[in-house]
Amino acid sequence: MEDLKIVNKGLEDEMEIGGYRLCRWKLALVGAGVVCTGGFLLLLLYWMPEWCVKATCTRTTVKEAEMVLLQSTDEFKRWFLAKVRVMLAPGRDPFDDLDSQTTSTSVANGHTTHNSQSPAQELIHKYAEYQPVQIRYFTLHSTKYYWSDTSQNFEVFTGLEDLEVTCSTVHSKHSAGLSRNQQEYRRLFFGVNEIAVKVPSVFKLLIKEVLNPFYIFQLFSVILWSADEYYYYAAAIVFMSVISIATSLYTIKKQYVMLHDMVAAHSIVRVSVIRANNEIEEAMSTDLVPGDVMVIPSNGTIMPCDAVLISGTCIVNESMLTGESVPVTKTNLPNPRQGEKGDEGDGFYCTEEHKRHTLFCGTNVIQTRFYSGELVKAVVVRTGFSTAKGQLVRSILYPKPTDFKLYRDASLFLLCLVAVAGIGFIYSIVLSIMNQVPAKTIIIESLDIITITVPPALPAAMTAGIVYAQRRLKRIGIFCISPQRINICGQLNLVCFDKTGTLTEDGLDLWGVQRVENKSFLLSEENPYKESLVKSSFVACMAACHSLTKIEGQISGDPLDLKMFEATGWILEEATEEETALHNRIMPTVVRPPKQLLPEPIVSPDQDMELYELSTGYEIGIVRQFPFSSALQRMCVVTRTLGEKRMDAFLKGAPEVVASLCKKDSVPEDFAEVLEDYTKQGFRVIALAHRRLESKLTWHKVQNVNRDHIEANMEFLGLIIMQNKLKPETPGVLEDLRQANIRTVMVTGDNMLTAISVARDCGMIPPEDRVIIADALPPKDGQAAKINWRYADNPTKNSTKAPRLEEVEISLEDVTQGDELKPQESYHFAMSGKAFAVITEHFQDLLPKLVLHGTVFARMAPDQKTQLVEALQSVDYFVGMCGDGANDCGALKRAHGGISLSELEASVASPFTSRTPNISCVPNLIREGRAALITSFCVFKFMALYSIIQYISVTLLYSILSNLGDFQFLFIDIAIILIIVFTMSLNPAWKELVPRRPPSGLISGPLLFSVLTQILICFGFQTLAFLWVSQQSWYNRWTPSSDACNLTSSSNISVEHNDTELDDHNIKNYENTTLFYVSSFQYLIVAIVFSKGKPFRQPSYKNWPFVLSACSLYAFLLFLLFYRNSAIDDFLEIVCVPMEWRLTILLIIFLNAVVSIFVEGSVDLWGHRCVSWLTCQRRKVPKARYMHLAQELSVDPDWPPKPKTTTEAKPPPRPENGSYQIIPAS
């Protein structure tokens, strides 16, 4: 066995790769096999790429491979096949510098010296000078993988980040632009910069659709029926298949066109590129490569690539990526080398970490700001499908399959049906040989059994329910881009909510301010809009420390910044482009108080009016912004007050962070208590700080200084208290979910105590429940990582602490009784993002226990939200996520059901998008999901019964060498089955959420029990009718002149006389007619029996199309049974039977209906117990891991951890159980 390598290691699309080369003798064998099987082998190899490769190729090393076979390492284990190609290039590394005489080492230099040759001659000269090398690569999912000799594996070139450039290197080596040669050389590797969504031709789509195993099976069925002279039925199936294929093609084509239009709308634009000799030239955006330097036009543009700003500022609308409509300010990447203290703080550039300096592809640059004559420049970092937008489009083009038990069980169920068909197949062959039937008839009739057992309308029937559910969701303002997920939403048993904008109102209202003077807090004030405070640092900080900007005369930006700025009543002015061009180093943004707030100075009569205005003018210019970073939890600005020599720095951010950056003697001693007091009441608290900067810091130095130098030794100014009101719908919705046994979890970027307070206010944590804060600390100074457990103070002051703790332990004894967890336990864990990171790294075995009762996760970064969703899924929760789309993209995509409360009709990140901006959409989605899931079960059970009932009829008729007629099949399949299937799916969802959850798969005891009992009932009654008819006194072998309705003539007819006129298939006979009547009624009986209503769907009698269809069919069948119409009888090939036998058939049908309804009712009531009793399961072991864990923890005396104890991580050797120990605090 040759080596197996891993590509994309550690990433979402990690795959194992194996190398193969074509083998001639294997190809010849396969060719012969294809001919012998009439092309079927070719189809099989098309469906199974791994078989195809193994059947036609031999293993070789990945380096020498002609074909590569890749298998995803996730739970789906999907196979992909790619052809290895070879390209010629002057070097192996896209970042090699063609102009310096080395191709072996990678020089990431950006500029070259030009000689007098033209670019074309230069390139020829270069190619002549270097020996071209062969580079092997393959393309998969719009990504090129190149062979690397250093790593001995295939690798992807993403862009500039491959070089691991530092921030200072971006400025020093990549800011001068590329020569044309380098650009063309890099384009060989990175390709054209466009996200090309190729819309496949209708013919291609048609071939792909038709080669689906299901349609091939239908083709086989149609050929077989035609050979058996069932022309009408075959034609009807062909007609249905054509309609099905046409609608499917239309939908797929429409989705491709929509995606293509969405991507292509602004993907190709003209850009200005700076060349290595400082020339600016116009180029098409498709020519851009990583390392190019582009000029961002002042009137804005749509970004054609991901690029990092190296000079100037941009205001960008990123709604296309995040769903967040508030414009974001992007500043230039800091250059630590030009700062004061050398390399300190010079980290590697990373798009995620430096996203405040990165312009992403597809986002809209609204306007740019620049200083005297300087252009706004950005270095291209990624192009094409490597960009953020490209990856988004790739995830839509090549989605991960939705793994859901229902679909796996459906395949298993079909296999069972095929096995049943196999039995019938053998039975019909044996029977036919015994009766000396001709060989052709034996083959056709035995194969016919298989086509009967696997219903051809199954896929159409299964999708009907989902399509109806999607339509109902659209009506209530929920849009869905992944319809298969609707069913999965019916299984959700835990929902994570973002806090701000989801549970609470989007904006924050200013509740008050609490200033600090002389190291102590003053009394809280409602508003800083006072004449006495106008020149205070506190108000200056509020007015200047923000990232607001004017767009078309309107101030816009972060809602929190906006509220703070509006509270000061100050005015914001921005310099126009003309002013910026005229003056040197003009202040880009100025803030000043309104005239009425400034004290009136005394004016002497002889004073110059202009001088007077200057002396009274008080304005602050913002020299440099360090934008808000969620990682740093703060933002900072450097300002200069008019007429002052020295500059000031203002800082605002999370109180704990701001206090840690201030001088100790400026922070009040009661800071922690005051902060805790506010956060416990659910207020959002922001701290402000100020510092006078040294006079040596000039304007130019400030532009390049590292923010760490500015954000130190600050003076603490005080707190701003913002109120974040709960949305009125929130408590009610959370209560509904709690009643329905659906756990709710809060995941927020806000402060821990604020989050706990909001969780209590909205009922996520009941008032009597205890909150345990897990405070995890990373390893430090040789000490192991540890978790300090502390109990948050309980707002209900009705009991002392000691009994409360005993109460925790007592109530843990009965955690799970039965198969469902109690909806709410008596303790909840809360932790911050930092603690979560430490726990995931050092306490892996504790993580499942913590997420089992974790209710509040505060200060979580976007990627941590995704990790939390994964952690919850790993203990078998079906996780829903509801957020406002901005920083929840990853979690929304990863959850089983992600719903974004975005204004945009379909936020691309999330499977569901709600128009109503509150969480009331969550229970609605779960209700519709449950209804769709139950509909899928109903339809599947009905389709299984339909094929088995027909199979029983045909098998019984084969025993007398008869069969159902062409038009009988047609009537059953079109008039009964199709109408019933498409109307039984129309039941709307039940009005409220119930605590019970629907089963997740078809292979569950009660469900199988229900299907099997109905099969036995139908088999019993059909066999009874089949055997009973031949025992009747009037019964004789039917002939064309038989007339059982008129018994006197029937008894005198000799059988022999009419033998010649018997039809070939022996369709017309008493057995056939009897079984046709009984089976037709049986289809309707099981349809009604399986159409369940409460507790997940509205009752069937409210589904009027279904009721109407069922009643019409009953009426028609009864009309057929009791009223003799020769035209209909001849058409359906049924014969006349005496009235007494018709009444007997009616009695059989009535008894069948009574037994079916009674048995199904009993299965619903006692199915669980019967199955448990039959399988001798006395004590049920829960299937889901979280239930298992809850049972274990209910008997664990050391859980939950006691207050003021510490859990330490043990040294690494033993990561199994017991990798931590609990130590009481001294």
Side-chain angles (χ1 to χ4, degrees), residues 999-1018:
S1000 60
L1002 285 163
I1003 316 290
S1004 66
L1007 244 146
L1008 285 179
F1009 198 53
S1010 156
V1011 170
L1012 286 171
T1013 49
Q1014 293 301 330
I1015 288 174
L1016 289 173
I1017 293 164
C1018 292

mmCIF file of all heavy atoms in Angstrom, residues 999-1018:
data_model
loop_
_atom_site.group_PDB
_atom_site.id
_atom_site.type_symbol
_atom_site.label_atom_id
_atom_site.label_comp_id
_atom_site.label_asym_id
_atom_site.label_seq_id
_atom_site.Cartn_x
_atom_site.Cartn_y
_atom_site.Cartn_z
ATOM 1 N N PRO A 999 -39.855 11.534 16.518
ATOM 2 C CA PRO A 999 -38.700 10.624 16.363
ATOM 3 C C PRO A 999 -37.763 11.151 15.280
ATOM 4 O O PRO A 999 -38.203 11.838 14.358
ATOM 5 C CB PRO A 999 -39.343 9.290 15.944
ATOM 6 C CG PRO A 999 -40.699 9.632 15.475
ATOM 7 C CD PRO A 999 -41.112 10.896 16.153
ATOM 8 N N SER A 1000 -36.459 10.844 15.413
ATOM 9 C CA SER A 1000 -35.502 11.414 14.461
ATOM 10 C C SER A 1000 -35.300 10.531 13.241
ATOM 11 O O SER A 1000 -34.810 10.980 12.230
ATOM 12 C CB SER A 1000 -34.156 11.650 15.146
ATOM 13 O OG SER A 1000 -33.670 10.422 15.632
ATOM 14 N N GLY A 1001 -35.668 9.248 13.354
ATOM 15 C CA GLY A 1001 -35.422 8.368 12.212
ATOM 16 C C GLY A 1001 -36.575 7.424 11.976
ATOM 17 O O GLY A 1001 -37.454 7.244 12.824
ATOM 18 N N LEU A 1002 -36.566 6.811 10.791
ATOM 19 C CA LEU A 1002 -37.633 5.852 10.450
ATOM 20 C C LEU A 1002 -37.430 4.531 11.176
ATOM 21 O O LEU A 1002 -38.366 3.802 11.445
ATOM 22 C CB LEU A 1002 -37.610 5.580 8.940
ATOM 23 C CG LEU A 1002 -38.157 6.690 8.064
ATOM 24 C CD1 LEU A 1002 -37.704 6.484 6.639
ATOM 25 C CD2 LEU A 1002 -39.665 6.706 8.121
ATOM 26 N N ILE A 1003 -36.141 4.215 11.448
ATOM 27 C CA ILE A 1003 -35.856 2.928 12.077
ATOM 28 C C ILE A 1003 -35.984 3.085 13.591
ATOM 29 O O ILE A 1003 -35.027 2.970 14.339
ATOM 30 C CB ILE A 1003 -34.429 2.419 11.691
ATOM 31 C CG1 ILE A 1003 -34.162 2.610 10.191
ATOM 32 C CG2 ILE A 1003 -34.197 0.983 12.103
ATOM 33 C CD1 ILE A 1003 -34.923 1.734 9.234
ATOM 34 N N SER A 1004 -37.195 3.437 14.024
ATOM 35 C CA SER A 1004 -37.431 3.499 15.468
ATOM 36 C C SER A 1004 -38.535 2.488 15.761
ATOM 37 O O SER A 1004 -39.417 2.266 14.919
ATOM 38 C CB SER A 1004 -37.853 4.907 15.887
ATOM 39 O OG SER A 1004 -39.106 5.221 15.341
ATOM 40 N N GLY A 1005 -38.465 1.899 16.943
ATOM 41 C CA GLY A 1005 -39.382 0.819 17.307
ATOM 42 C C GLY A 1005 -40.840 1.072 16.942
ATOM 43 O O GLY A 1005 -41.407 0.368 16.091
ATOM 44 N N PRO A 1006 -41.483 2.093 17.550
ATOM 45 C CA PRO A 1006 -42.910 2.316 17.304
ATOM 46 C C PRO A 1006 -43.247 2.500 15.817
ATOM 47 O O PRO A 1006 -44.259 2.006 15.340
ATOM 48 C CB PRO A 1006 -43.211 3.602 18.080
ATOM 49 C CG PRO A 1006 -42.152 3.673 19.117
ATOM 50 C CD PRO A 1006 -40.933 3.053 18.530
ATOM 51 N N LEU A 1007 -42.347 3.208 15.099
ATOM 52 C CA LEU A 1007 -42.609 3.464 13.679
ATOM 53 C C LEU A 1007 -42.621 2.172 12.868
ATOM 54 O O LEU A 1007 -43.518 1.921 12.058
ATOM 55 C CB LEU A 1007 -41.529 4.396 13.142
ATOM 56 C CG LEU A 1007 -42.044 5.753 12.678
ATOM 57 C CD1 LEU A 1007 -41.028 6.820 12.962
ATOM 58 C CD2 LEU A 1007 -42.331 5.719 11.211
ATOM 59 N N LEU A 1008 -41.599 1.333 13.115
ATOM 60 C CA LEU A 1008 -41.523 0.052 12.388
ATOM 61 C C LEU A 1008 -42.682 -0.841 12.798
ATOM 62 O O LEU A 1008 -43.256 -1.556 11.977
ATOM 63 C CB LEU A 1008 -40.187 -0.644 12.690
ATOM 64 C CG LEU A 1008 -38.954 -0.055 12.012
ATOM 65 C CD1 LEU A 1008 -37.707 -0.823 12.416
ATOM 66 C CD2 LEU A 1008 -39.091 -0.105 10.492
ATOM 67 N N PHE A 1009 -42.994 -0.788 14.081
ATOM 68 C CA PHE A 1009 -44.083 -1.614 14.628
ATOM 69 C C PHE A 1009 -45.391 -1.249 13.920
ATOM 70 O O PHE A 1009 -46.163 -2.106 13.508
ATOM 71 C CB PHE A 1009 -44.182 -1.330 16.130
ATOM 72 C CG PHE A 1009 -44.925 -2.374 16.905
ATOM 73 C CD1 PHE A 1009 -44.566 -3.724 16.810
ATOM 74 C CD2 PHE A 1009 -45.991 -2.031 17.730
ATOM 75 C CE1 PHE A 1009 -45.249 -4.695 17.527
ATOM 76 C CE2 PHE A 1009 -46.682 -2.992 18.443
ATOM 77 C CZ PHE A 1009 -46.307 -4.334 18.347
ATOM 78 N N SER A 1010 -45.584 0.083 13.742
ATOM 79 C CA SER A 1010 -46.796 0.580 13.073
ATOM 80 C C SER A 1010 -46.855 0.064 11.629
ATOM 81 O O SER A 1010 -47.877 -0.450 11.174
ATOM 82 C CB SER A 1010 -46.767 2.113 13.102
ATOM 83 O OG SER A 1010 -47.524 2.651 12.073
ATOM 84 N N VAL A 1011 -45.732 0.161 10.893
ATOM 85 C CA VAL A 1011 -45.706 -0.280 9.492
ATOM 86 C C VAL A 1011 -45.932 -1.783 9.394
ATOM 87 O O VAL A 1011 -46.737 -2.262 8.582
ATOM 88 C CB VAL A 1011 -44.358 0.124 8.834
ATOM 89 C CG1 VAL A 1011 -44.200 -0.529 7.465
ATOM 90 C CG2 VAL A 1011 -44.272 1.638 8.691
ATOM 91 N N LEU A 1012 -45.244 -2.532 10.255
ATOM 92 C CA LEU A 1012 -45.360 -4.007 10.189
ATOM 93 C C LEU A 1012 -46.773 -4.472 10.512
ATOM 94 O O LEU A 1012 -47.306 -5.365 9.846
ATOM 95 C CB LEU A 1012 -44.355 -4.663 11.146
ATOM 96 C CG LEU A 1012 -42.889 -4.607 10.678
ATOM 97 C CD1 LEU A 1012 -41.967 -5.082 11.777
ATOM 98 C CD2 LEU A 1012 -42.694 -5.461 9.427
ATOM 99 N N THR A 1013 -47.396 -3.882 11.531
ATOM 100 C CA THR A 1013 -48.764 -4.304 11.881
ATOM 101 C C THR A 1013 -49.728 -4.012 10.728
ATOM 102 O O THR A 1013 -50.560 -4.849 10.394
ATOM 103 C CB THR A 1013 -49.255 -3.612 13.174
ATOM 104 O OG1 THR A 1013 -49.001 -2.211 13.060
ATOM 105 C CG2 THR A 1013 -48.565 -4.155 14.401
ATOM 106 N N GLN A 1014 -49.571 -2.849 10.083
ATOM 107 C CA GLN A 1014 -50.453 -2.511 8.957
ATOM 108 C C GLN A 1014 -50.225 -3.461 7.769
ATOM 109 O O GLN A 1014 -51.177 -3.849 7.085
ATOM 110 C CB GLN A 1014 -50.244 -1.051 8.512
ATOM 111 C CG GLN A 1014 -50.682 -0.012 9.521
ATOM 112 C CD GLN A 1014 -52.159 -0.104 9.893
ATOM 113 O OE1 GLN A 1014 -52.999 -0.513 9.115
ATOM 114 N NE2 GLN A 1014 -52.475 0.270 11.132
ATOM 115 N N ILE A 1015 -48.947 -3.834 7.545
ATOM 116 C CA ILE A 1015 -48.646 -4.798 6.458
ATOM 117 C C ILE A 1015 -49.358 -6.113 6.738
ATOM 118 O O ILE A 1015 -50.010 -6.693 5.856
ATOM 119 C CB ILE A 1015 -47.116 -5.000 6.319
ATOM 120 C CG1 ILE A 1015 -46.462 -3.764 5.704
ATOM 121 C CG2 ILE A 1015 -46.802 -6.239 5.466
ATOM 122 C CD1 ILE A 1015 -44.947 -3.799 5.642
ATOM 123 N N LEU A 1016 -49.267 -6.590 7.988
ATOM 124 C CA LEU A 1016 -49.887 -7.875 8.350
ATOM 125 C C LEU A 1016 -51.405 -7.804 8.198
ATOM 126 O O LEU A 1016 -52.036 -8.739 7.705
ATOM 127 C CB LEU A 1016 -49.517 -8.256 9.791
ATOM 128 C CG LEU A 1016 -48.044 -8.670 9.992
ATOM 129 C CD1 LEU A 1016 -47.741 -8.855 11.458
ATOM 130 C CD2 LEU A 1016 -47.738 -9.960 9.225
ATOM 131 N N ILE A 1017 -52.003 -6.678 8.613
ATOM 132 C CA ILE A 1017 -53.463 -6.523 8.499
ATOM 133 C C ILE A 1017 -53.880 -6.587 7.021
ATOM 134 O O ILE A 1017 -54.796 -7.329 6.653
ATOM 135 C CB ILE A 1017 -53.921 -5.191 9.151
ATOM 136 C CG1 ILE A 1017 -53.708 -5.241 10.676
ATOM 137 C CG2 ILE A 1017 -55.375 -4.885 8.826
ATOM 138 C CD1 ILE A 1017 -53.760 -3.888 11.365
ATOM 139 N N CYS A 1018 -53.158 -5.784 6.177
ATOM 140 C CA CYS A 1018 -53.507 -5.754 4.746
ATOM 141 C C CYS A 1018 -53.313 -7.140 4.119
ATOM 142 O O CYS A 1018 -54.138 -7.599 3.328
ATOM 143 C CB CYS A 1018 -52.654 -4.725 4.017
ATOM 144 S SG CYS A 1018 -53.060 -3.045 4.513
#
